[in-house]
Amino acid sequence: DAFTSTTKERNKNYRQLKSLTVHCPRFFIDQDLFVGVKVNLDKYQSHHLFHVLRAKKNSLVILFNGAGGEFESKIITQSAKFCSLMVERFSNHNNISNVNTLLGLCISKNQYMDIAIQKSVELGVSEIYPLISDYSPVKQNMSLFEKKISRWEKIMVSACEQCGRNVLAKIHDIQLLSEFVTINKQTNRFIMSM
């Protein structure tokens, strides 16, 4: 009996700890948000909320629009491909650094560039400059780079959703390394080569 009572107590403690550490889903919404507005999630976000995260009606969801602050919302309707939320409260909470950090990042092969953008956003970089150098392994025409920038912006939004950041980082157009080193000469800068 001593063993079963210890196991029951351990399971009870685990359930209590698990209830304290429940992660609240976060989604970026590209529209103006305010208390009392009804928000419809797109098909991908709805699928992720219900089939991956297993959220239920009246569950709490955090929304942000990249302008700062976050909006607590509740699920009011749900279906297999559709979800509506009601914004209930605004919090001026922002997880951003007080230091404005610009990162010049030489373009690397897809997966490495994707990871570099994701991690730099999670670490608090406010602006990312994709750069082409003499040693960049990627030499393509500029029309293909527009698709890459769109992909990197999606990765940046996803990183903001994951890390709790409420202000989006800015990803600039691709430029040459020689152009990048001439901008913002009046500020303190550190240039590193790896």
Side-chain angles (χ1 to χ4, degrees):
D1 277 345
F3 177 75
T4 56
S5 66
T6 306
T7 304
K8 286 180 181 179
E9 188 174 312
R10 199 175 314 132
N11 288 342
K12 179 183 175 187
N13 291 340
Y14 173 75
R15 284 191 302 274
Q16 288 174 343
L17 179 65
K18 189 176 176 185
S19 70
L20 293 174
T21 59
V22 171
H23 173 71
C24 187
R26 292 174 41 88
F27 291 99
F28 172 74
I29 303 295
D30 192 15
Q31 71 180 53
D32 290 336
L33 296 173
F34 49 89
V35 175
V37 70
K38 181 179 172 184
V39 177
N40 296 322
L41 296 183
D42 65 27
K43 182 179 174 181
Y44 169 77
Q45 291 171 325
S46 297
H47 170 80
H48 186 74
L49 186 61
F50 295 120
H51 297 288
V52 177
L53 300 175
R54 308 255 187 240
K56 303 288 182 210
K57 189 173 180 180
N58 293 323
S59 295
L60 182 66
V61 177
I62 301 295
L63 303 176
F64 68 102
N65 61 2
E70 59 187 23
F71 297 83
E72 291 181 20
S73 307
K74 277 198 177 171
I75 300 170
I76 54 175
T77 59
Q78 75 181 69
S79 68
K81 298 179 181 180
F82 177 77
C83 172
S84 292
L85 306 166
M86 180 61 71
V87 177
E88 295 186 337
R89 190 176 345 175
F90 173 74
S91 171
N92 199 18
H93 175 71
N94 287 314
N95 289 331
I96 56 172
S97 173
N98 293 335
V99 179
N100 187 24
T101 307
L102 283 64
L103 175 66
L105 189 60
C106 286
I107 296 172
S108 57
K109 293 188 178 178
N110 277 344
Q111 67 184 28
Y112 302 112
M113 189 68 176
D114 294 352
I115 291 170
I117 288 174
Q118 175 191 0
K119 297 305 176 190
S120 62
V121 168
E122 290 172 354
L123 289 171
V125 170
S126 51
E127 297 181 46
I128 300 172
Y129 289 84
L131 305 173
I132 298 175
S133 73
D134 293 338
Y135 302 103
S136 294
V138 180
K139 306 274 192 237
Q140 297 177 355
N141 63 22
M142 293 308 276
S143 65
L144 293 176
F145 282 132
E146 290 176 14
K147 290 180 184 176
K148 287 188 178 286
I149 289 176
S150 175
R151 175 181 169 79
W152 297 333
E153 287 173 344
K154 289 177 185 172
I155 291 168
M156 180 263 305
V157 167
S158 178
C160 288
E161 289 175 347
Q162 289 292 319
C163 73
R165 182 175 172 163
N166 295 326
V167 177
L168 299 179
K170 176 160 178 47
I171 298 180
H172 292 272
D173 290 334
I174 296 169
Q175 57 187 266
L176 296 174
L177 176 62
S178 58
E179 295 171 0
F180 175 72
V181 296
T182 61
I183 64 169
N184 294 329
K185 283 194 171 187
Q186 67 274 14
T187 61
N188 292 333
R189 297 187 304 160
F190 301 96
I191 298 177
M192 300 179 350
S193 174
M194 298 175 27

